[in-house]
Amino acid sequence: MAADALPRTRLFIDQPLSPGGVAALDGDRAHYLRAVLRQGPGDGVLAFNGRDGEFLAHIETLSKSVGTLRMDRQTRCPANDAPPAPWLLFAPLKGGRTEYVVEKAVELGVGRLVPVFTRRGDVNRVNIDRLRANALEAAEQCERLDAPDVADGIDLQKLLSDWDPARTLFVAAESGVAQPLVTAVTASAGKPVAFLVGPEGGFDQQELDALRRLPFVVSVGLGPRVLRADTAAFSALAVWQAAGGDWRSADGDARPPNRT
Amino acid sequence: MAADALPRTRLFIDQPLSPGGVAALDGDRAHYLRAVLRQGPGDGVLAFNGRDGEFLAHIETLSKSVGTLRMDRQTRCPANDAPPAPWLLFAPLKGGRTEYVVEKAVELGVGRLVPVFTRRGDVNRVNIDRLRANALEAAEQCERLDAPDVADGIDLQKLLSDWDPARTLFVAAESGVAQPLVTAVTASAGKPVAFLVGPEGGFDQQELDALRRLPFVVSVGLGPRVLRADTAAFSALAVWQAAGGDWRSADGDARPPNRT
């Protein structure tokens, strides 16, 4: 079967996947296949679980809220040699912009998403289940082999006090001296990193002072214009992937490189 | 007056601006100041026109649909030495994503926005007046000194037949061999460039073949994941600014550098 004849439907299935094996569909996915996509037994899908690569499968059974997939063959191997994926720590935003940040961050290869509550943030709670569903959906669509973690929301101070100092924390600078983003991320290629983006109102002075005192924090500059928080978040991730991550391969073929 | 005490309201005023001079407010801006922001004579605003820098001004007169601003002093000089701004050519998208692309592209310093109609595009007309208003609003908010041009929509073939070959046209590759984005844009720093991003359904084969034959076209790769069209658009612009544009200055201070 040619690569372009693979099914367009792609599902994250959190179960072991192997050639010939069977995986159960949960209620949401069974409903999605049957009622939204109007699919039934025999129709093909692609399945991935973040560990075993990707499989061409077909629907074996499907009823209203349950179903099973049978794996036919492996279509992509696990990406065991993938560089460490960057994390994104972000203050939740108003008006659907949080969902947009999640979608874009997943496409841009984020490994972990952490909602962070700050003093000037204007959103003080998030619906984590919804963000996790957004992240899975984006992972299914962008042909990732894994789905990023979406952590529970956490206060900035608590997050910083438990931080692993081996992971560089880039903070999008709103003022003061900072390294150009491309310089900072190029120097961190292949190392564990995270980006912290504050709320639209910015960090307050105490938060900025606390951040600057931490040895693992690097302030990065995102140019002379004032960026909205969502723009800063995915600009940082895009520049990371381009200059320090997995967009650097000489063959810029946009198809998944390990499709078999 | 300290820089942080400048007024938050910032307006694009398409008239000559000079110290002591007066500029007329159009109906929309007079209404916005009076009815939305509840401002009146004596209140301060910042004004810019894309040519004369930025001025601190105050409202001299204001009624329902007319008004005048008096310029008090220049707050920023014209950015005469700015590198050429990249252009973005994009197939219009559904569901508010076009407006989002415009907002982000303006924040990311685009010089010209061109809606492009392609064979597989699922939006065949755009409201140019609305896009121009979106672009002005984003320019006002992100502290740019200019507002980008928003061109009328144009068919891809016509656009390419009239293209100035001195301007490199980067095309986000969906398949085939392509240069890594960061390599391509670093090599084009300081030169006129444009990015072309297709519709969600991609370019069709004839369009791709036509693009590849053009000497000014460079295919660029945006990594192993499948990006949505909006993600590709602002990722390309962010990487351009970071690696080839105005995010490279050693002082990453995010405040406008030429604020006086």
Side-chain angles (χ1 to χ4, degrees):
Chain A
M1 182 184 278
D4 58 359
L6 289 174
R8 298 188 57 163
T9 307
R10 204 167 169 273
L11 297 178
F12 182 85
I13 303 286
D14 194 10
Q15 296 169 51
L17 302 177
S18 62
V22 172
L25 291 163
D26 63 25
D28 285 350
R29 283 179 173 66
H31 173 81
Y32 175 70
L33 285 174
R34 186 172 161 279
V36 180
L37 299 180
R38 309 263 171 202
Q39 296 198 325
D43 286 332
V45 303
L46 293 169
F48 67 110
N49 64 1
R51 302 180 297 274
D52 300 321
E54 182 194 77
F55 286 80
L56 176 64
H58 65 272
I59 299 170
E60 198 160 75
T61 63
L62 188 64
S63 68
K64 197 163 180 179
S65 61
V66 291
T68 52
L69 297 180
R70 173 78 66 177
M71 303 306 125
D72 296 323
R73 65 176 177 86
Q74 193 175 41
T75 47
R76 288 167 66 193
C77 304
N80 291 325
D81 57 346
W87 293 4
L88 177 65
L89 287 42
F90 63 100
L93 303 171
K94 283 195 287 194
R97 288 186 186 248
T98 297
E99 288 75 11
Y100 209 83
V101 166
V102 168
E103 176 187 297
K104 297 307 164 213
V106 173
E107 291 177 55
L108 294 169
V110 80
R112 188 175 171 84
L113 285 154
V114 187
V116 177
F117 302 119
T118 63
R119 291 172 183 237
R120 289 198 193 147
D122 41 25
V123 177
N124 294 313
R125 48 185 302 182
V126 285
N127 182 337
I128 290 290
D129 290 339
R130 184 160 162 209
L131 294 189
R132 287 186 179 133
N134 293 149
L136 273 188
E137 191 184 339
E140 289 170 348
Q141 291 196 2
C142 76
E143 304 198 10
R144 278 176 69 139
L145 285 178
D146 62 343
D149 290 333
V150 180
D152 290 328
I154 185 170
D155 281 323
L156 177 60
Q157 203 176 347
K158 168 91 175 103
L159 177 88
L160 296 175
S161 65
D162 293 343
W163 193 258
D164 171 7
R167 182 175 292 272
T168 300
L169 180 59
F170 294 116
V171 179
E174 295 154 61
S175 63
V177 172
Q179 282 188 52
L181 179 59
V182 70
T183 310
V185 303
T186 303
S188 294
K191 294 179 194 157
V193 303
F195 292 93
L196 172 61
V197 175
E200 292 290 2
F203 296 108
D204 84 354
Q205 197 56 49
Q206 269 188 285
E207 289 171 332
L208 286 172
D209 292 343
L211 284 164
R212 289 203 182 109
R213 276 195 301 269
L214 295 167
F216 48 82
V217 165
V218 174
S219 288
V220 289
L222 276 71
R225 287 166 298 280
V226 176
L227 303 186
R228 295 188 69 133
D230 49 356
T231 317
F234 38 69
S235 293
L237 290 171
V239 174
W240 163 258
Q241 293 295 6
D246 63 13
W247 293 10
R248 290 174 299 157
S249 86
D251 176 8
D253 192 327
R255 294 296 96 190
N258 52 347
R259 181 85 77 192
T260 56
Chain B
M1 185 184 277
D4 57 0
L6 290 173
R8 299 188 58 165
T9 306
R10 204 166 169 274
L11 297 177
F12 182 83
I13 304 285
D14 195 10
Q15 294 171 50
L17 302 178
S18 62
V22 172
L25 291 163
D26 62 25
D28 285 350
R29 284 181 171 66
H31 173 80
Y32 175 70
L33 285 174
R34 187 172 161 278
V36 180
L37 298 181
R38 309 262 172 201
Q39 295 198 327
D43 286 332
V45 302
L46 293 169
F48 67 109
N49 65 359
R51 301 181 297 273
D52 301 320
E54 182 194 75
F55 286 80
L56 175 64
H58 66 271
I59 299 170
E60 197 160 75
T61 63
L62 187 64
S63 67
K64 198 161 180 179
S65 61
V66 291
T68 51
L69 296 180
R70 172 78 65 176
M71 303 307 125
D72 295 323
R73 65 177 177 87
Q74 194 175 39
T75 46
R76 288 165 68 191
C77 303
N80 291 324
D81 57 345
W87 294 4
L88 177 66
L89 286 43
F90 64 99
L93 304 171
K94 283 195 288 197
R97 286 185 188 250
T98 297
E99 288 75 10
Y100 210 82
V101 166
V102 168
E103 175 188 297
K104 296 308 164 213
V106 173
E107 291 176 56
L108 294 168
V110 80
R112 188 176 171 84
L113 285 153
V114 187
V116 177
F117 302 118
T118 64
R119 290 172 184 238
R120 290 197 191 148
D122 41 24
V123 177
N124 295 313
R125 49 185 300 184
V126 284
N127 182 337
I128 290 290
D129 289 338
R130 186 162 161 205
L131 294 189
R132 286 185 180 136
N134 292 149
L136 272 189
E137 191 183 340
E140 289 171 347
Q141 291 196 3
C142 77
E143 303 198 10
R144 279 176 68 139
L145 284 178
D146 62 343
D149 290 334
V150 180
D152 289 328
I154 185 170
D155 280 324
L156 178 60
Q157 204 176 345
K158 167 91 175 104
L159 176 87
L160 295 175
S161 67
D162 292 342
W163 193 259
D164 171 7
R167 183 175 289 271
T168 300
L169 180 58
F170 293 116
V171 179
E174 296 153 63
S175 62
V177 173
Q179 282 188 52
L181 178 60
V182 71
T183 310
V185 302
T186 303
S188 293
K191 294 179 193 156
V193 303
F195 293 93
L196 171 62
V197 175
E200 292 290 2
F203 296 108
D204 85 353
Q205 196 57 48
Q206 270 187 282
E207 289 170 333
L208 286 173
D209 292 343
L211 284 165
R212 289 203 183 106
R213 277 194 300 269
L214 295 167
F216 48 82
V217 165
V218 174
S219 288
V220 288
L222 276 70
R225 287 166 298 280
V226 176
L227 303 187
R228 295 188 69 135
D230 49 356
T231 317
F234 37 68
S235 293
L237 291 171
V239 174
W240 163 259
Q241 292 296 6
D246 63 13
W247 293 10
R248 290 174 300 158
S249 86
D251 176 8
D253 192 327
R255 293 298 96 188
N258 52 347
R259 182 85 77 191
T260 54

